[in-house]
């Protein structure tokens, strides 16, 4: 399952973040709005600004509320179409039903909308009853990447689940993020993880400050050395 090529994805909120991430050597951006709600769909204007500021691949969040319920799925479909018209070519989404299982209907509605474009199933997997079984479902849904911490409380609590996921030889790429700390990277890499996702770790001034290129550079060296 795991690619041999290490990858560092950085959360971006705007063009300044994109510039900092690219200057530091990041491989890809996850573009979101409103980190107070753990990331919602960004505006078309923000997407256009970010696309003008960087040539990095940009995975755009599709999420309209702070939970993992789908919310207004028709609204999300309309947002998706508008984002594609504005140049989005990669996406991030993931929904759960009331039983804490993957909401297949909601996911399939957006899969139909993106029509073969690559997408990441995000950390909703950490809230499922059985993340390992959920991973098998996601293989059949066709996402190419799963962002996971292995546990709702973050990577520190999810290491055993992450190591089991990393050992799978088929299925989506595993992208590890959610409270990820620098000292955890070596252990995760030794277990086969090649994809890493950071947000606050590359913002020494907190979420109100832009991505810091030097911090990104430090993470690139950690992930790729």
């Amino acid at each position: 399952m795991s690619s041999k090529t290490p990858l560092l994805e950085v959360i971006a909120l705007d063009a300044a973040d994109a510039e900092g991430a690219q200057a530091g050597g990041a491989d890809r951006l996850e573009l979101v709005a409103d980190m107070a709600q753990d990331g919602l769909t960004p505006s078309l204007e923000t997407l256009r600004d970010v696309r003008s500021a960087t040539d990095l691949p940009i995975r755009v969040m599709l999420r309209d509320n702070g939970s993992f319920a789908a919310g207004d799925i028709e609204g999300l479909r309309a947002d998706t179409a508008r984002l594609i018209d504005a140049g989005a070519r990669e996406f991030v989404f993931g929904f759960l039903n009331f039983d804490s299982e993957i909401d297949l209907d909601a996911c399939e509605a957006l899969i139909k909308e993106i029509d073969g474009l690559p997408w990441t199933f995000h950390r909703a997997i950490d809230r499922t009853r059985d993340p390992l079984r959920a991973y098998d479902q996601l293989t059949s849904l066709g996402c190419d990447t799963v962002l996971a911490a292995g546990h709702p409380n973050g990577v520190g609590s999810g290491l055993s689940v992450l190591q089991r996921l990393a050992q799978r030889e088929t299925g989506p790429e595993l992208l590890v993020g959610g409270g990820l700390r620098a000292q955890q990277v070596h252990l995760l890499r030794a277990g086969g993880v090649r994809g890493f996702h950071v947000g606050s770790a590359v913002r020494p001034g907190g979420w109100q400050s832009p991505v810091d290129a030097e911090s990104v550079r430090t993470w690139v060296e950690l992930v790729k050395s």
Side-chain angles (χ1 to χ4, degrees):
M1 176 192 68
S2 236
S3 166
K4 300 244 189 289
T5 307
L7 178 141
L8 181 69
E9 179 180 89
V10 173
I11 298 173
L13 296 169
D14 54 28
D17 285 350
E19 289 166 358
Q22 180 156 354
D27 299 295
R28 189 169 73 200
L29 304 176
E30 180 192 71
L31 182 61
V32 306
D34 197 355
M35 281 307 298
Q37 296 195 71
D38 293 326
L40 303 180
T41 304
S43 69
L44 297 179
E45 181 182 11
T46 299
L47 172 63
R48 292 188 185 108
D49 288 347
V50 169
R51 290 188 70 229
S52 296
T54 183
D55 54 11
L56 290 177
I58 304 165
R59 295 227 162 175
V60 182
M61 179 66 74
L62 299 173
R63 187 166 178 248
D64 66 2
N65 67 85
S67 78
F68 291 115
D72 176 11
I73 195 66
E74 290 308 311
L76 285 168
R77 288 182 65 184
D79 285 345
T80 305
R82 285 192 286 266
L83 288 160
I84 289 172
D85 284 345
R89 292 297 177 266
E90 304 182 34
F91 291 94
V92 183
F93 57 90
F95 309 107
L96 304 181
N97 60 27
F98 290 116
D99 296 320
S100 296
E101 305 282 0
I102 294 171
D103 186 336
L104 297 174
D105 290 342
C107 289
E108 285 168 355
L110 293 191
I111 290 166
K112 183 176 180 182
E113 205 65 48
I114 65 174
D115 193 25
L117 295 174
W119 62 285
T120 298
F121 188 95
H122 62 51
R123 282 198 58 204
I125 191 172
D126 294 329
R127 305 264 177 187
T128 58
R129 291 171 183 263
D130 182 350
L132 297 167
R133 188 168 73 85
Y135 215 89
D136 291 335
Q137 288 182 290
L138 293 171
T139 300
S140 64
L141 278 179
C143 66
D144 69 350
T145 303
V146 174
L147 171 62
H151 191 280
N153 293 338
V155 172
S157 301
L159 287 170
S160 62
V161 171
L162 293 171
Q163 287 170 332
R164 290 173 70 186
L165 291 174
Q167 289 163 8
R168 299 204 162 193
E169 295 184 1
T170 59
E173 293 288 333
L174 177 62
L175 181 68
V176 172
L180 178 64
R181 296 180 180 176
Q183 60 265 36
Q184 295 162 335
V185 171
H186 178 73
L187 178 64
L188 289 162
R189 285 186 60 186
V193 176
R194 295 291 176 268
F196 296 89
H197 168 96
V198 291
S200 58
V202 292
R203 297 169 186 267
W207 284 106
Q208 301 309 310
S209 64
V211 166
D212 174 63
E214 193 54 48
S215 297
V216 174
R217 204 166 288 121
T218 299
W219 272 87
V220 169
E221 289 172 7
L222 259 181
V223 166
K224 301 194 177 190
S225 62

